[in-house]
Amino acid sequence: SYVLTQAPSVSVAPGETARITCGAINIGFETVHWFQQRPGQAPVLVVYDDDDRPSGIPDRFSGSNSENTATLTISRVEAGDEADYYCQVWDDGSDQVIFGGGTKLTVL
Amino acid sequence: QVQLVESGGGVVQPGRSLRLSCVVSGLNFSGYALHWVRQAPGQGMEWVALIWFDGSDKYYGDSVKGRFSISRDKSKDTVYLQMNNLRAEVTAVYYCAKGGGSTGDFLDVWGQGTTVTVSS
């Protein structure tokens, strides 16, 4: 089935920009969604349909998707952004939701 | 606001069955698809199952096909996950989540989860 590849970890200093990627062949033809999971908490949707934000999500969070990589960009990173981030697609071939393995964002 | 509250988790012996429940409030229950997702300790997310808004279609992850069953009861605003012949590897936090968008193929609101531990 479809496999989404994420780097295990990303580190960034406060105020800088974090870019978390999700890779797969031709992922640009899929619709990608992103979740944030803080330690001990349930996941929260932060970007859907590649680049839309749910209400209440700061505009520091943005998404893009092209060719073989989807990217979640977090601008002006804050300590509270430290969390695990997961990408997700719906795989039409298997009729299943597919999650990436997750990326742990560390704010230095 | 939309809320999903899971229950039914606990410690269960291998080979036994367990049924999880998720009560949904704050929306028209019959208008949305619903998912179950699990997360084993220290691991990532694993999608478990999806049931269409009217219950007409159900989809399952490869690791649970044939052993888990998803259903919904509109009279109780509740979605269920029946888990049979439990094995240690299903130990996880189980979340229910509302399907987002017109097709319900992403998860836009999540519950807080219920923990299932399979152990003798």
Side-chain angles (χ1 to χ4, degrees):
Chain A
S1 61
Y2 204 68
V3 175
L4 301 175
T5 301
Q6 296 186 243
S9 63
V10 167
S11 299
V12 64
E16 299 298 309
T17 297
R19 293 178 179 84
I20 297 170
T21 61
C22 178
I25 295 174
N26 292 326
I27 194 173
F29 291 115
E30 308 297 332
T31 303
V32 180
H33 319 285
W34 292 92
F35 302 90
Q36 174 195 68
Q37 186 181 32
R38 294 188 173 107
Q41 297 187 19
V44 172
L45 180 71
V46 293
V47 166
Y48 67 99
D49 290 353
D50 292 339
D51 56 7
D52 283 330
R53 273 187 316 277
S55 61
I57 300 300
D59 61 6
R60 300 185 298 105
F61 289 80
S62 62
S64 62
N65 186 16
S66 179
E67 298 185 349
N68 298 317
T69 305
T71 303
L72 173 69
T73 301
I74 309 172
S75 304
R76 305 181 299 282
V77 166
E78 304 173 355
D81 298 331
E82 191 161 279
D84 294 323
Y85 290 85
Y86 296 88
C87 57
Q88 178 248 307
V89 301
W90 173 263
D91 178 23
D92 285 326
S94 62
D95 284 336
Q96 296 184 10
V97 166
I98 307 296
F99 286 103
T103 297
K104 181 176 180 59
L105 175 66
T106 298
V107 181
L108 300 170
Chain B
Q1 74 277 22
V2 178
Q3 279 194 305
L4 299 93
V5 179
E6 304 93 336
S7 62
V11 180
V12 60
Q13 293 180 327
R16 304 296 291 265
S17 298
L18 197 63
R19 188 177 79 162
L20 306 182
S21 301
C22 173
V23 177
V24 183
S25 61
L27 53 72
N28 173 19
F29 179 79
S30 297
Y32 297 93
L34 292 163
H35 300 255
W36 286 98
V37 176
R38 68 185 179 186
Q39 187 172 34
Q43 302 300 309
M45 295 294 161
E46 181 185 11
W47 177 74
V48 174
L50 160 66
I51 186 166
W52 208 234
F53 67 100
D54 60 357
S56 61
D57 285 309
K58 304 174 185 180
Y59 304 93
Y60 296 93
D62 289 339
S63 63
V64 306
K65 283 178 183 175
R67 292 189 298 117
F68 288 14
S69 177
I70 189 170
S71 62
R72 61 194 294 161
D73 184 344
K74 63 182 179 182
S75 71
K76 297 181 179 179
D77 289 352
T78 300
V79 60
Y80 301 99
L81 185 68
Q82 178 69 41
M83 306 186 294
N84 298 326
N85 190 21
L86 291 171
R87 307 193 290 233
E89 56 263 35
V90 310
T91 293
V93 176
Y94 285 74
Y95 297 98
C96 69
K98 170 184 162 291
S102 60
T103 56
D105 62 0
F106 66 97
L107 301 85
D108 63 353
V109 184
W110 296 61
Q112 286 303 304
T114 186
T115 301
V116 173
T117 303
V118 180
S119 173
S120 55

